[in-house]
Amino acid sequence: MISIRGLSKKFGTHAVTNGLNLDIQEGEFLTIIGRSGEGKSVLLKQLMGLLKPESGSIFIDGIDTVPLTGLALSHTLKKCGYVFQFAALLDSLSVFENIGIVFLESGIAPHIVRPLALECIERVGLSGDVLDKYPDELSGGMKKRVGLARTLMGNPKIIFYDEPTTGLDPISTQLIHELLRSTHEQYKATTIVISHDVSIFKYSDSVAMLYEGQIIHKESAANIWNTDNAFIRQFIHGLSDGPLTATRKL
């Protein structure tokens, strides 16, 4: 479904992605891990066309999106959905207006959009009365669910999540992870999650690690706790001594 080859992106002289290669199969649930500042979110933004790389290719369903712009890029990325780290809800709009914003802005009548929004809000485990609330009336976990409901309005075949459990307590974190997995199975969507939380491995098919601008290892989530890769082993076990801290101090 996604094939990345030689992807490079710099900010000034700092290479965030540096010749990165990665293949993601159709229907795969992939979690990408890596230390803070490694460029995981920048990688997602390149996949979504929000940032342009200096070089390389991003094939989505066989089409290289890197050279595309405007309507051609938008058309190709219609099959993709992006769930922002902090939901990115607009405070001045109701939950209904946030969820249905793309449809409403295109001129579709609210009475047509509302049943679709209701279906999506119920699929993420919230009741219909939430549609008339505003973001500042919601908990952090509810905002995450509303952000996902907005993404589901587009019936995506690929869903990108940027740190979906940041700021949540352990119980809410588990509920969100379960929601991600159930959404993955219900929509048969290829799922790519950026996360620091190793508890998501239970719900993932595979895990890849980003380090110094490259994917240095990818392995099935079932085998990841017994991996021979020293970088991943240090990261997931939270060890203070290893190759990560040998090359980069806090």
Side-chain angles (χ1 to χ4, degrees), residues 13-234:
T13 59
H14 176 58
V16 182
T17 49
N18 188 18
L20 184 148
N21 298 310
L22 178 64
D23 289 317
I24 304 170
Q25 303 303 315
E26 183 174 1
E28 183 177 357
F29 188 130
L30 171 68
T31 295
I32 300 176
I33 60 173
R35 292 186 59 171
S36 297
E38 288 287 357
K40 302 182 298 298
S41 295
V42 171
L43 172 59
L44 278 197
K45 287 180 172 61
Q46 290 176 86
L47 296 180
M48 279 299 298
L50 300 175
L51 287 174
K52 282 290 186 183
E54 272 74 45
S55 61
S57 301
I58 301 171
F59 289 93
I60 295 181
D61 209 10
I63 298 174
D64 185 3
T65 63
V66 171
L68 300 181
T69 58
L71 292 176
L73 179 62
S74 297
H75 178 75
T76 302
L77 293 178
K78 274 187 176 180
K79 65 187 68 179
C80 301
Y82 188 98
V83 182
F84 292 88
Q85 183 173 351
F86 295 105
L89 303 180
L90 299 174
D91 292 335
S92 62
L93 301 182
S94 68
V95 168
F96 164 61
E97 291 167 328
N98 269 283
I99 292 176
I101 187 168
V102 173
F103 295 84
L104 296 170
E105 288 292 318
S106 66
I108 300 176
H111 74 273
I112 296 176
V113 179
R114 193 173 181 91
L116 301 175
L118 177 60
E119 180 181 352
C120 288
I121 203 71
E122 290 178 341
R123 285 190 174 186
V124 300
L126 296 175
S127 60
D129 61 351
V130 172
L131 290 175
D132 296 317
K133 295 183 180 296
Y134 283 80
D136 62 1
E137 300 178 80
L138 308 179
S139 68
M142 292 172 74
K143 289 179 181 178
K144 304 272 188 181
R145 290 173 182 267
V146 171
L148 174 56
R150 179 179 57 196
T151 298
L152 296 181
M153 286 285 285
N155 194 29
K157 295 301 180 185
I158 303 170
I159 306 179
F160 300 102
Y161 297 89
D162 190 0
E163 295 285 1
T165 58
T166 295
L168 299 182
D169 61 75
I171 295 175
S172 297
T173 293
Q174 181 172 337
L175 290 173
I176 291 296
H177 285 166
E178 291 173 354
L179 176 61
L180 265 58
R181 185 68 205 188
S182 64
T183 300
H184 170 76
E185 293 174 349
Q186 184 176 5
Y187 281 79
K188 310 299 181 186
T190 303
T191 302
I192 300 93
V193 182
I194 295 294
S195 183
H196 289 100
D197 191 338
V198 297
S199 65
I200 198 175
F201 296 171
K202 175 182 176 182
Y203 306 93
S204 307
D205 296 325
S206 51
V207 178
M209 185 165 191
L210 179 64
Y211 178 69
E212 294 190 342
Q214 298 184 354
I215 297 296
I216 60 170
H217 190 71
K218 182 182 177 185
E219 190 166 339
S220 72
N223 296 329
I224 198 68
W225 291 103
N226 297 315
T227 184
D228 292 329
N229 186 280
F231 292 88
I232 293 183
R233 188 167 62 247
Q234 181 187 359

